[in-house]
Amino acid sequence: MLSTAHLSLYVIVVLGIIALPGMDMAFVMATALLGGRRAGMAAVAGIVAGGLCHLAMAGLGIVAILRGSPALFQMMLIGGAAYITWMGAAFLRSSGIALPCHAGALSSPRQAFRRAMVTSLLNPKAYIFMFAIFPQFLQPSLGPLWIQAGMLGAITSLTQAGVYGALALAAAASSRWLAGHPGASLLA
């Protein structure tokens, strides 16, 4: 089984990677700001579900296929960039980008979950993590790899839920505060 030192190092690495701003973080923050707490937390659940899909893809060898096919990986990166560009344009076109709207006005929690999962699945940072970092923590000499991967996946999911959940709650609270203080808004 994995040692405490090994797991502690993994927690530190994962926390650092998840805390780095990226597509997932931007999506959670924007969704919570514009859609409220429920939409923000649904987005967090979608990001975590996408992370579990990354883990499953790694286990099934799909990540290895992407690693072995630079053209396929490049297409995935371009798809991710196109998707985040489309999302950004949609947020900028919305009339309430700097003015908070009432909770749920942007999208339903189901839509937020689905979009977040797609965002997570198209996130290049997640694939780089699965290519370069995740395998470094799997040690065949320490027992079955599927048990180790499951433990590391659980740590990753809990870290995502904690970091992105706190961000979603803070963004939703900020949105409510801005709604109560219209003079503080950028468009006031």
Side-chain angles (χ1 to χ4, degrees), residues 27-181:
F27 185 82
V28 167
M29 185 181 299
T31 301
L33 277 170
L34 298 174
R37 187 181 60 213
R38 285 186 67 218
M41 295 310 283
V44 171
I47 298 296
V48 171
L52 292 173
C53 288
H54 287 124
L55 182 64
M57 286 189 286
L60 294 172
I62 295 170
V63 170
I65 292 169
L66 286 173
R67 181 189 295 172
S69 174
L72 188 59
F73 184 65
Q74 189 68 20
M75 285 178 17
M76 189 273 311
L77 291 177
I78 291 169
Y83 181 70
I84 197 70
T85 300
W86 173 79
M87 280 188 348
F91 283 135
L92 288 174
R93 281 193 312 268
S94 76
S95 61
I97 191 69
L99 291 172
C101 53
H102 64 283
L106 178 67
S107 63
S108 72
R110 180 177 292 156
Q111 288 173 321
F113 177 88
R114 188 173 48 245
R115 284 179 158 178
M117 191 166 174
V118 169
T119 299
S120 178
L121 291 172
L122 293 175
N123 187 347
K125 185 169 79 168
Y127 288 97
I128 292 168
F129 173 78
M130 293 309 287
F131 289 167
I133 297 169
F134 190 80
Q136 302 303 316
F137 287 90
L138 298 174
Q139 303 294 323
S141 63
L142 298 177
L145 292 179
W146 68 272
I147 292 175
Q148 293 178 50
M151 286 174 47
L152 298 178
I155 290 169
T156 303
S157 294
L158 290 171
T159 305
Q160 287 176 315
V163 170
Y164 296 144
L167 179 69
L169 293 174
S174 297
S175 179
R176 285 190 307 275
W177 184 85
L178 285 171
H181 299 84

